[in-house]
Amino acid sequence: MADIKERERQPTPEERFAELIAIHEKEKEIAARLHTAREQAEQILQQAREQAERRKAQARQALQRECERRRAEVHAQIEAEVQRILAEGQLAAQHLTQRANPAHVLERLRRELLPH
C-alpha cells in the first residue's frame, strides 16, 4: 500500500515534462532579467565614468586657475621687492654721488677747518 501511495505522489512523465518546461522558461526569464540588469549596470558604470572624467577636468581647470592666480600674486610680490631694492640702490647711489662730489667734499672740509 505504501508503494501505491508513493506512485501516486510521483509525477507522471507528462507532469515531469511540464515541470522541466516551466523550469526552462523560468531559467530563460531569469537570464533575460540578468542580461537587462547587466546592461543597466554597464550604463550606470559608464555614466559614473563620464561624470568622474568631467569632475576630473573641472578640478584640473580649477587647479590651473589657482596656479595662475598664485603665480601672478608671487610675480607681483617679486616685482614690488625689485622696485624697493632699486629705489634703495638709487638712494644709496645719490648719497655716494653727493659724498664723492669734490665741490661738496671741499665745502664740507672748509666748514670743518675754517669755522665762521
Side-chain angles (χ1 to χ4, degrees), residues 8-114:
E8 285 177 10
R9 284 190 285 161
Q10 290 182 351
T12 65
E14 292 83 15
E15 291 172 333
R16 285 284 293 142
F17 184 71
E19 283 179 25
L20 289 174
I21 289 176
I23 290 171
H24 182 69
E25 290 298 318
K26 190 67 170 176
E27 287 174 344
K28 283 173 44 179
E29 178 188 332
I30 290 171
R33 287 176 36 202
L34 180 60
H35 178 73
T36 301
R38 281 187 180 145
E39 285 179 343
Q40 289 174 346
E42 284 295 324
Q43 288 175 351
I44 290 169
L45 184 59
Q46 183 61 31
Q47 290 170 354
R49 285 182 181 136
E50 290 169 359
Q51 185 178 24
E53 283 300 315
R54 282 192 303 274
R55 287 182 179 177
K56 191 175 174 181
Q58 289 172 345
R60 208 177 358 237
Q61 289 172 351
L63 180 60
Q64 182 66 30
R65 284 191 302 270
E66 180 64 17
C67 286
E68 289 171 7
R69 184 189 68 76
R70 288 187 180 187
R71 192 175 296 123
E73 187 178 284
V74 168
H75 182 72
Q77 290 172 351
I78 291 171
E79 187 62 32
E81 183 68 13
V82 166
Q83 293 302 321
R84 184 189 65 75
I85 291 169
L86 287 174
E88 286 177 3
Q90 285 178 336
L91 207 83
Q94 285 175 353
H95 287 289
L96 288 175
T97 303
Q98 288 175 356
R99 286 186 170 184
N101 185 349
H104 179 69
V105 172
L106 284 175
E107 179 61 30
R108 193 179 71 209
L109 282 174
R110 189 178 58 76
R111 275 189 255 136
E112 288 175 9
L113 295 173
L114 303 170

